[in-house]
Amino acid sequence: MSPDSLILAALIVPLAGAVLIGLAGRFSPNLREAVTLVTAGLLIFVVWSLLPTVYDGGRPSAQLAEVLPGIDIAFRVEPLGMMFAALASGLWLVNSIYSIGYMRGNQEKKQTRFYVLFAVSLAATMGIAFSANLFTLFLFYEALTLSTYPLVSHKGDAATVKSARVYLGILISASIGLLLPAIIWTYSVAGTGDFRMGGILEGVIEGPAVGLLLGLFVFGAAKAAVMPVHRWLPAAMVAPTPVSALLHAVAVVKAGVFTITKVIVYIFGVDFLFSEPSSSWLFYAACFTIIAASVVALRQQNLKRLLAYSTIAQLSYVVMAAAILKPLAEVGAAIHMLAHAFGKITLFFAAGAIYTASKKTELAQLRGIGRRMPITMTAFTIGALSMIGVPPTGGFVSKWYILAGAFQADNYIALATIIASTALNAAYFLPIVYVVWFEKDATPPGKEHGEAPFAAVLALALTAALTIAFFVYSAPAYELESQLVRAAS
Amino acid sequence: MTSLEFHLPALQVAVPLLLAPVVVLLRPRGLAWAAATVTSLMAFAIAVAMTQGILDGEVYRYAMGGWEAPYGIGLRVDRFSALVLLLVTGASSLGLLAGKQSIDRSIETQRQPLFYAAWLLVVAGLAGILVSADAFNIFVFMEISSLASYVVVAGGTDRRALPAVFKYLIMGTIGATFYLIGVGLIYMMTGTLNLADMAMRIHEVSEQRPILVAAGFITVGLALKAAVFPLHVWLPNAYTYAPHAVSAFLAACATKVSLYVLLRFDFVVFQPNLLGHDFQFAAFLMPLAVLAILVGSTVAMFESNIKRLLGYSSVAQIGYIMLGASLVSLTGLSASLLHIFNHALAKGTLFLAVMALAMRFGQLDLASLGGAARRMPWTMSAFVVGALSLIGVPGTAGFISKWYLVTAAFAEGPLGYFLIAVIVVGSLMAVVYSWRIVEATWFAPEVQANPVTAETTIGEAPMAMLAVVWLAALTNIYFGLFTALPRALAEGAAGALIAGVP
């Protein structure tokens, strides 16, 4: 298949998979899960076949429809989107393996609906990653919100519905009230919304309007969870853990920071934004979110909520790195999306495995659990170290590039923020690591349990291994992402 | 052109008109419905065929009985008529296809044949207005469609429909009378009823004042029938208490047909001939359009009955249509015509979804619909698609016309910026009133509603109904992404209408 048709295949495969999963669900769970795994594998094949082309500087593209003159539904694969799509498709397979263990282990209801919507969300994610212009991006961005909503409200009880309402309310109102006006504004002044190297807004907009437009984009893309539009993410933790792991640590939240990074690099243009003082607020907003979210995480008693606040902080790392507006920092932003994904999905997998094996959700219940679930907690430890940024984990690599970018810009506030947040991350993760390994077992007598089901353990071992592997071997990602800024710098 | 193709404009009216009396005679249960549905689908097929022909460059002119205009009755179908014909016949077909069970429930079996016959007469009347080339036949068909629509609106078991329909009747009759007075004045001055002839002869008339008076009567009369603010008071109650299937049908297309006549008359007959009339037209309608958007949306934000809420939303949406036309520019008029099409898709979907909802919930107050969507997720998901289209979210049809409207306003300078602000505020208000429904049906705690049926557990709407609701919802998405057809029709029609304006 030609690279151009591979793009469309990346959209069709998960959608067709969704239909087949729905049909297979009528016959047998085993068949359904097999279809999910085959679809995920096929999607990896399709998406990763694009990698060599993009790596060599090719930019496959495809056009689906011209909605209005100048407004197309079109796709164009560039390094950032390539990485995002490769990441999401790759982790979908691992996550599907995990889901089988988790959903069966917890005897969840409506499992067919769960797998169908998961596939649809992945199709939307592929659309976001490959979109060639703001209009297309917006369509798939909204599709992702709508298709993940039933996953968040999966349980269906009163508390879940309340949280799902926060989820939908914030994401939809921000995107329609802020992101859409920003997109229409862009189209009307620039005449286009195409993502172009060096940006499209230089010379057509200036002064405080730049800062305002940037604000509409940043807070409109509420999936990036920059404070104060972050509250949907802790609310989304009511979802089954595989949803939190893939969607609310990787696909959905990365769609947010991906949008912001793409807008900075391809709509405004890094150099233009750097020369415009009214845009500097974004950097401070991101720094504030990093510190504030870490402080809030420090006070959490529930493991998944703690991870959610940690995610909010880590997402703003990406936003902050992008807002430093220097080449190495942009690369750092892209790499951090990758590194954080491996670490955070491992942490969520571990949290879900703990819940499946023992129904424990609170930090206080985790004393000594390391001895019962050694593999899970080893993976958890690796994930936690990656969040802090300790070698030999992936988190170290991306922090390295962000720091290098900060030095490029002589930006010492970024430096201070990173140091402070590293300390805070250590302060909320290390006590957990200590407690699970070195304190006395808190499990009440008669509630014996071991590891979670095999599928879940396999998945989290895989992602933990990836976290370490990324430390050892991240050169291709760096090479790919440095194309983001090579022409611009 | 084959001979069948040649007769299509006449068949468009004749098929539903002649089959209506046949339907009255069909007594066995269900047969009347089947016959009416088939007839409506045939009318839709005729509309599709003519649209196809027009896009291929055909012109449909027809002289009834071979008597040429100005003596005979002339029919004429162009892009504008085709656009609205598609809506009328499409909405009628979807309403009938989806509505069987709903109509069975709200209308006694022995009265059903009459009801379906009246429904077909509405179709015939509306189609007649759209294919007529002369002003008096438009009046005749207007009366046919109005009288028949009073019958279908009042046809249900809800007694509250009777005062609503009485108000509708009084206002509709005043509107039609005003229109007739205007047409009479023009006939007196020009000696013709044919619209195209009128357009040519008016400027030969020595005294223009009667024409100006006629323009006033016709505009106000049609504005009444089209529910242009502040002449909209008949609309919300008529939609609210009509049988649900009728609401879906009429909300999608009835007012649009009056708007069609209003725009056609004004742009073809008056604006080319009356000096400064384009300015009068804009100055008269633009403030009303702005008020319609703001007032209609505000009332909708505080309304608690879903159907009435949607009715007030229609008042606001008619405002958008008038706003585009009042700009008197090609893009503005295209926006207006596109919004006629796209709003019909959105509102039709919403009312169809409401009909499905009403199958399971007796009360349509927001307060008694708590958690309805959790029981009927498919129905309410289709509703959400319709609501997104109503708001104008990209990816849905509603976005396309709003985009045209904003572009048209943008070209007007400072006044345009004010209008854009109105459009944006109106859209945000649409977000608010749509969200209220989403909030009530998806997120509110469940109330023990009185199930219409004896069923203890309330589930999804019947499968057949749901399929049609989703078909309607998907057209919103289809025409939000693949816009060639409505754009070709609307831009072509707008170009033809505005060609005569100096």
Side-chain angles (χ1 to χ4, degrees):
Chain A
M1 264 202 283
S2 76
D4 294 0
S5 46
L6 281 173
I7 299 177
L8 298 181
L11 295 174
I12 294 165
V13 165
L15 285 181
V19 175
L20 291 177
I21 293 165
L23 291 176
R26 288 167 183 249
F27 300 108
S28 93
N30 287 338
L31 182 63
R32 177 187 68 205
E33 262 80 305
V35 175
T36 301
L37 292 178
V38 169
T39 311
L42 203 58
L43 184 65
I44 290 183
F45 172 75
V46 167
V47 171
W48 291 23
S49 307
L50 281 162
L51 264 170
T53 318
V54 179
Y55 194 81
D56 293 336
R59 298 288 180 266
S61 61
Q63 192 182 13
L64 207 63
E66 188 186 47
V67 174
L68 288 167
I71 302 183
D72 306 322
I73 299 177
F75 305 98
R76 186 166 175 278
V77 188
E78 45 69 59
L80 197 61
M82 185 66 246
M83 186 199 74
F84 182 34
L87 172 70
S89 60
L91 289 181
W92 184 32
L93 181 63
V94 185
N95 194 69
S96 300
I97 298 172
Y98 179 81
S99 297
I100 296 170
Y102 181 92
M103 299 301 279
R104 293 188 177 189
N106 288 306
Q107 288 150 10
E108 294 273 352
K109 296 192 185 73
K110 297 183 189 161
Q111 292 195 22
T112 303
R113 189 183 81 163
F114 172 88
Y115 288 108
V116 167
L117 286 165
F118 231 112
V120 175
S121 322
L122 258 291
T125 307
M126 294 302 124
I128 294 173
F130 291 153
S131 55
N133 53 46
L134 285 170
F135 182 79
T136 313
L137 180 89
F138 185 83
L139 290 185
F140 287 100
Y141 185 95
E142 293 296 65
L144 185 59
T145 308
L146 294 176
S147 59
T148 49
Y149 163 75
L151 290 170
V152 173
S153 63
H154 186 87
K155 234 184 200 166
D157 58 8
T160 310
V161 167
K162 211 171 145 210
S163 293
R165 175 176 172 267
V166 175
Y167 181 79
L168 196 65
I170 292 181
L171 289 184
I172 287 277
S173 55
S175 64
I176 291 183
L178 304 173
L179 185 58
L180 183 57
I183 290 173
I184 292 178
W185 186 354
T186 306
Y187 270 94
S188 58
V189 295
T192 175
D194 289 352
F195 296 120
R196 286 198 199 134
M197 210 70 211
I200 56 172
L201 285 173
E202 190 164 8
V204 296
I205 179 172
E206 57 181 2
V210 178
L212 180 62
L213 181 56
L214 184 66
L216 290 177
F217 273 119
V218 169
F219 295 115
K223 290 188 171 121
V226 176
M227 283 181 179
V229 289
H230 65 284
R231 287 211 21 242
W232 66 269
L233 186 54
M237 291 302 128
V238 297
T241 303
V243 176
S244 308
L246 183 60
L247 296 174
H248 300 122
V250 182
V252 172
V253 290
K254 293 296 174 340
V257 289
F258 172 78
T259 304
I260 293 176
T261 313
K262 252 189 124 146
V263 163
I264 288 176
V265 174
Y266 293 110
I267 296 294
F268 285 101
V270 175
D271 296 334
F272 169 56
L273 216 49
F274 191 73
S275 67
E276 194 55 71
S278 70
S279 69
S280 57
W281 66 268
L282 176 60
F283 172 75
Y284 299 105
C287 290
F288 173 79
T289 305
I290 294 175
I291 302 296
S294 303
V295 171
V296 178
L298 211 48
R299 303 169 50 87
Q300 296 304 313
Q301 296 304 313
N302 178 292
L303 181 56
K304 276 180 81 179
R305 284 184 73 86
L306 179 140
L307 293 179
Y309 277 102
S310 157
T311 305
I312 294 173
Q314 297 285 332
L315 292 171
S316 274
Y317 261 85
V318 180
V319 177
M320 181 192 79
I324 289 174
L325 301 172
K326 281 289 165 193
L328 264 180
E330 302 301 327
V331 177
I335 304 270
H336 194 67
M337 284 187 214
L338 216 52
H340 170 248
F342 296 142
K344 191 50 70 61
I345 200 170
T346 309
L347 288 170
F348 272 113
F349 280 172
I354 295 169
Y355 175 74
T356 312
S358 69
K359 300 289 170 223
K360 288 174 180 169
T361 55
E362 307 301 307
L363 296 182
Q365 302 168 320
L366 298 183
R367 270 178 289 142
I369 202 166
R371 264 161 282 171
R372 290 175 181 278
M373 309 178 69
I375 306 175
T376 305
M377 294 324 289
T378 307
F380 184 90
T381 307
I382 293 170
L385 291 179
S386 182
M387 289 302 120
I388 303 168
V390 182
T393 59
F396 174 78
V397 179
S398 53
K399 266 195 186 164
W400 178 268
Y401 288 119
I402 298 176
L403 281 172
F407 275 116
Q408 246 183 359
D410 287 330
N411 193 330
Y412 296 106
I413 299 172
L415 206 61
T417 308
I418 294 173
I419 292 169
S421 104
T422 305
L424 284 166
N425 289 351
Y428 60 78
F429 273 122
L430 291 183
I432 307 176
V433 172
Y434 175 81
V435 159
V436 299
W437 290 113
F438 302 112
E439 291 223 337
K440 245 183 85 202
D441 197 340
T443 311
K447 291 253 179 180
E448 292 304 313
H449 68 85
E451 288 281 3
F454 173 73
V457 177
L458 174 69
L460 63 89
L462 265 173
T463 54
L466 275 173
T467 310
I468 293 188
F470 192 68
F471 172 79
V472 183
Y473 189 61
S474 65
Y478 175 77
E479 270 302 308
L480 183 65
E481 296 315 313
S482 57
Q483 293 180 19
L484 261 184
V485 284
R486 190 172 292 153
S489 58
Chain B
M1 202 184 271
T2 62
S3 72
L4 177 66
E5 226 184 328
F6 176 75
H7 290 294
L8 284 179
L11 287 173
Q12 181 77 78
V13 186
V15 167
L17 193 63
L18 297 180
L19 284 171
V22 178
V23 167
V24 181
L25 304 174
L26 297 174
R27 286 292 149 187
R29 196 180 157 83
L31 204 56
W33 171 80
T37 308
V38 170
T39 311
S40 176
L41 284 169
M42 272 157 62
F44 181 62
I46 293 171
V48 169
M50 284 202 290
T51 307
Q52 190 61 50
I54 286 168
L55 288 175
D56 291 342
E58 298 278 6
V59 183
Y60 290 95
R61 284 175 203 288
Y62 190 83
M64 288 305 275
W67 293 86
E68 291 294 334
Y71 309 107
I73 296 171
L75 304 184
R76 180 171 176 279
V77 180
D78 61 5
R79 285 169 190 247
F80 193 4
S81 359
L83 181 83
V84 189
L85 274 173
L86 284 177
L87 295 181
V88 170
T89 53
S92 157
S93 304
L94 289 184
L96 285 171
L97 277 174
K100 173 139 190 350
Q101 281 122 321
S102 179
I103 293 169
D104 278 347
R105 190 176 285 171
S106 58
I107 292 160
E108 299 94 318
T109 316
Q110 73 274 16
R111 280 174 49 206
Q112 280 190 12
L114 278 168
F115 172 84
Y116 286 116
W119 180 301
L120 286 183
L121 287 177
V122 178
V123 177
L126 295 177
I129 296 173
L130 296 165
V131 300
S132 289
D134 86 63
F136 185 73
N137 279 306
I138 289 178
F139 170 76
V140 171
F141 284 119
M142 206 184 274
E143 284 301 284
I144 293 178
S145 68
S146 300
L147 291 173
S149 61
Y150 307 144
V151 174
V152 290
V153 168
T157 44
D158 193 336
R159 309 289 291 176
R160 291 170 296 183
L162 296 177
V165 96
F166 187 68
K167 198 190 245 175
Y168 183 18
L169 185 148
I170 298 291
M171 305 275 284
T173 310
I174 295 174
T177 311
F178 271 34
Y179 172 79
L180 191 62
I181 293 173
V183 172
L185 282 168
I186 296 177
Y187 183 66
M188 188 176 78
M189 300 306 289
T190 62
T192 180
L193 287 169
N194 189 293
L195 285 179
D197 278 347
M198 274 183 200
M200 285 190 293
R201 289 197 201 166
I202 286 182
H203 65 100
E204 298 164 3
V205 173
S206 53
E207 179 61 67
Q208 297 253 315
R209 185 149 303 176
I211 307 288
L212 207 56
V213 174
F217 270 112
I218 288 174
T219 309
V220 174
L222 291 170
L224 239 173
K225 294 201 75 91
V228 172
F229 182 88
L231 306 173
H232 65 277
V233 288
W234 59 266
L235 182 142
N237 272 352
Y239 285 6
T240 307
Y241 299 123
H244 305 298
V246 174
S247 307
F249 171 35
L250 293 183
C253 62
T255 57
K256 312 289 192 303
V257 174
S258 303
L259 284 171
Y260 161 90
V261 183
L262 176 58
L263 294 180
R264 165 141 279 172
F265 230 109
D266 215 275
F267 279 90
V268 172
V269 177
F270 297 131
Q271 295 201 18
N273 296 306
L274 292 177
L275 195 63
H277 181 72
D278 48 346
F279 176 75
Q280 289 170 353
F281 177 78
F284 175 61
L285 283 173
M286 197 181 285
L288 293 185
V290 169
L291 282 173
I293 295 171
L294 298 178
V295 176
S297 306
T298 309
V299 177
M301 285 196 316
F302 295 99
E303 191 49 68
S304 65
N305 180 299
I306 287 199
K307 287 180 82 180
R308 202 197 308 258
L309 186 157
L310 293 177
Y312 277 105
S313 149
S314 284
V315 172
Q317 301 293 323
I318 291 164
Y320 290 109
I321 298 171
M322 295 315 302
L323 185 64
S326 71
L327 294 171
V328 197
S329 67
L330 180 60
T331 325
L333 202 52
S334 304
S336 174
L337 304 191
L338 270 173
H339 204 60
I340 287 182
F341 187 81
N342 292 337
H343 172 244
L345 298 180
K347 211 32 89 51
T349 307
L350 291 170
F351 271 109
L352 284 172
V354 167
M355 176 169 80
L357 195 63
M359 289 300 290
R360 300 287 181 253
F361 288 83
Q363 300 282 325
L364 289 175
D365 277 337
L366 290 180
S368 49
L369 286 173
R374 297 204 289 279
R375 298 207 173 261
M376 309 176 71
W378 286 99
T379 304
M380 290 313 288
S381 301
F383 187 93
V384 168
V385 173
L388 290 175
S389 185
L390 192 69
I391 294 165
V393 176
T396 60
F399 171 74
I400 306 298
S401 34
K402 288 251 171 88
W403 177 269
Y404 266 72
L405 201 54
V406 168
T407 315
F410 199 69
E412 299 291 314
L415 173 66
Y417 301 144
F418 167 72
L419 296 179
I420 290 175
V422 171
I423 297 166
V424 170
V425 170
S427 303
L428 291 177
M429 287 162 120
V431 174
V432 173
Y433 61 69
S434 306
W435 181 261
R436 288 184 63 222
I437 300 175
V438 171
E439 171 87 37
T441 55
W442 290 89
F443 302 122
E446 206 148 304
V447 277
Q448 199 48 53
N450 305 328
V452 182
T453 54
E455 296 160 58
T456 45
T457 52
I458 304 172
E460 239 341 317
M463 200 59 197
M465 189 180 283
L466 203 54
V468 179
V469 173
W470 265 96
L471 179 66
L474 290 176
T475 57
N476 280 286
I477 293 174
Y478 180 83
F479 287 114
L481 302 179
F482 305 97
T483 55
L485 171 75
R487 273 168 55 211
L489 290 175
E491 285 182 345
L497 282 183
I498 209 146
V501 178

